[in-house]
Amino acid sequence: MKTYFIGDLQGCHAQTVALIERIQAAAGGPYHLLFAGDLINRGPASLATLRHVHALAQQGLADSVLGNHDLHLLAVANGIRPEHASDTLAEILDAPDREELINWLRQRPLALEHDGHVLVHAGLLPQWSAAQALSLSEEVSAMLRSDDWVAFLRTMYGNEPAAWRDDLQGADRLRCIVNAMTRLRFCTPDGVMDFKMKESGSPPPGSGLLPWFDVPDRRSAGDTIVFGHWSALGLLLRPHLIGLDSGCVWGGKLSAVCLEDRSLLQVDCPTFQRHSGKQ
C-alpha cells in the first residue's frame, strides 16, 4: 500500500477530488491518505471537502491532523469565537450532519506518526523530540475527546506562553502545545514562538528569528517531519522535511507526496482568496 501526504485543502473540494484521482492512478493499487490539517475554511466548498475526507476516513482510507482552521471551526460551532469575514464555515454550521462532522474532527490528533514520518499541521518546537511531540499531542487529544472539550476550547486562545517549559501545567501547557503544532512558523533559536510574521517565507534581517525547522540542534532533526500551514514558504522537500502547503486557496497548487518514493503530485488551483495579512 502506498501512502500519500496531502497539504492544506482549505475547502477546495474540486481540487481535492482531482488530486485524489491522480493519486489513485499513480498508486496503481491500495493507497492511504494523510492530510496535513486545515481541511476547511476560505475555499468555496468547506462542507463538501469535510464530508469527503470524513467519508474516506470512515472507509479506512484516510486520516488527518488538526490545523488552526479546523480548531477555529470547533470554537465557532460552540460560540467561543466569532466567524471571520473570510470564513466559509456557514454551510458546515447549518448542515444536518454538523454534529457528526464536528465530533469526528475533534477526535483527530495534532500530530501522528506513520512509518518513521511525523505529520503535524505547523511545526515542532526545537526542544521537542519527535517522540515527545507525539506524547504532547496525545495530551491535547485526550482533552478534546473528553466531556470537558468545550471548556478547553475557551482556554485555548492566546499567544502566551510563547516558549515551552517541561513544567508547564494546565491550560498554559495545552495552549503552548496547540500553538506550536497548529500556528508555528518562526521562533528564536531558543524556541520563543513568533506569531506576527505570516506572509513571508523568511524572517526580516536582524529579527533573530528562524524558521522552526532551521533552529540549530533541533531535537527532531533526525526524524522526517511533514507539515503544512505555510503557504508563503510553499513546497519544501528536504531529506528529513516535507512542507506541503503550496497555496491551494491562494491560487497556487494542491500537493501530495508519496511516502515510499517521494514522488510529487499536484493540481493547479484558482485564486479563491487574496492575502490580507491574516492567516
Side-chain angles (χ1 to χ4, degrees):
M1 180 182 293
K2 288 190 174 182
T3 299
Y4 291 83
F5 294 105
I6 301 177
D8 307 35
L9 305 180
Q10 292 207 249
C12 298
H13 183 242
Q15 291 68 41
T16 301
V17 171
L19 183 61
I20 293 174
E21 288 176 349
R22 292 202 61 190
I23 288 171
Q24 290 172 331
Y31 62 89
H32 192 66
L33 310 177
L34 294 173
F35 294 91
D38 277 4
L39 302 176
I40 48 110
N41 211 17
R42 290 195 167 150
S46 287
L47 176 60
T49 306
L50 184 55
R51 281 175 171 166
H52 195 151
V53 177
H54 175 250
L56 290 169
Q58 297 302 102
Q59 299 170 54
L61 297 175
D63 202 354
S64 177
V65 294
L66 283 168
N68 54 304
H69 283 279
D70 308 315
L71 290 171
H72 178 59
L73 170 62
L74 300 183
V76 171
N78 286 281
I80 295 165
R81 300 282 281 188
E83 288 188 71
H84 299 147
S86 59
D87 285 351
T88 57
L89 303 176
E91 58 181 358
I92 299 175
L93 299 172
D94 294 337
D97 52 348
R98 158 189 164 140
E99 294 308 312
E100 179 182 2
L101 294 171
I102 287 174
N103 282 329
W104 174 79
L105 196 61
R106 74 178 173 98
Q107 294 178 61
R108 309 279 52 81
L110 290 179
L112 61 83
E113 188 274 339
H114 184 85
D115 197 16
H117 292 61
V118 174
L119 175 65
V120 64
H121 177 62
L124 303 183
L125 286 170
Q127 299 96 327
W128 296 344
S129 67
Q132 182 181 8
L134 292 166
S135 176
L136 295 174
S137 167
E138 184 53 38
E139 290 185 30
V140 176
S141 290
M143 183 61 72
L144 283 171
R145 293 168 182 160
S146 76
D147 292 340
D148 296 325
W149 70 283
V150 176
F152 161 67
L153 292 176
R154 294 193 180 98
T155 70
M156 185 177 65
Y157 287 95
N159 293 338
E160 298 293 335
W164 177 254
R165 301 193 320 270
D166 286 335
D167 63 353
L168 285 174
Q169 297 181 0
D172 284 350
R173 181 180 179 89
L174 297 180
R175 188 184 309 113
C176 190
I177 297 167
V178 169
N179 281 342
M181 294 192 186
T182 67
R183 298 176 61 204
L184 177 62
R185 295 184 180 97
F186 295 108
C187 63
T188 64
D190 55 354
V192 178
M193 293 181 280
D194 175 86
F195 299 115
K196 297 176 183 177
M197 292 291 300
K198 297 181 178 181
E199 293 194 2
S200 175
S202 58
S207 68
L209 298 173
L210 293 168
W212 65 266
F213 47 79
D214 282 338
V215 172
D217 301 319
R218 172 172 59 90
R219 290 191 64 202
S220 60
D223 298 277
T224 301
I225 311 299
V226 186
F227 67 100
H229 184 60
W230 202 340
S231 60
L233 180 70
L235 184 72
L236 181 67
L237 299 175
R238 296 182 185 176
H240 291 285
L241 204 66
I242 301 175
L244 283 174
D245 185 359
S246 43
C248 180
V249 79
W250 309 107
K253 298 178 184 292
L254 182 61
S255 299
V257 167
C258 179
L259 180 152
E260 287 76 18
D261 61 13
R262 284 293 189 103
S263 58
L264 172 67
L265 296 172
Q266 294 183 304
V267 296
D268 294 324
C269 304
T271 301
F272 295 117
Q273 291 282 339
R274 298 191 181 277
H275 285 285
S276 63
K278 294 182 179 180
Q279 288 279 344

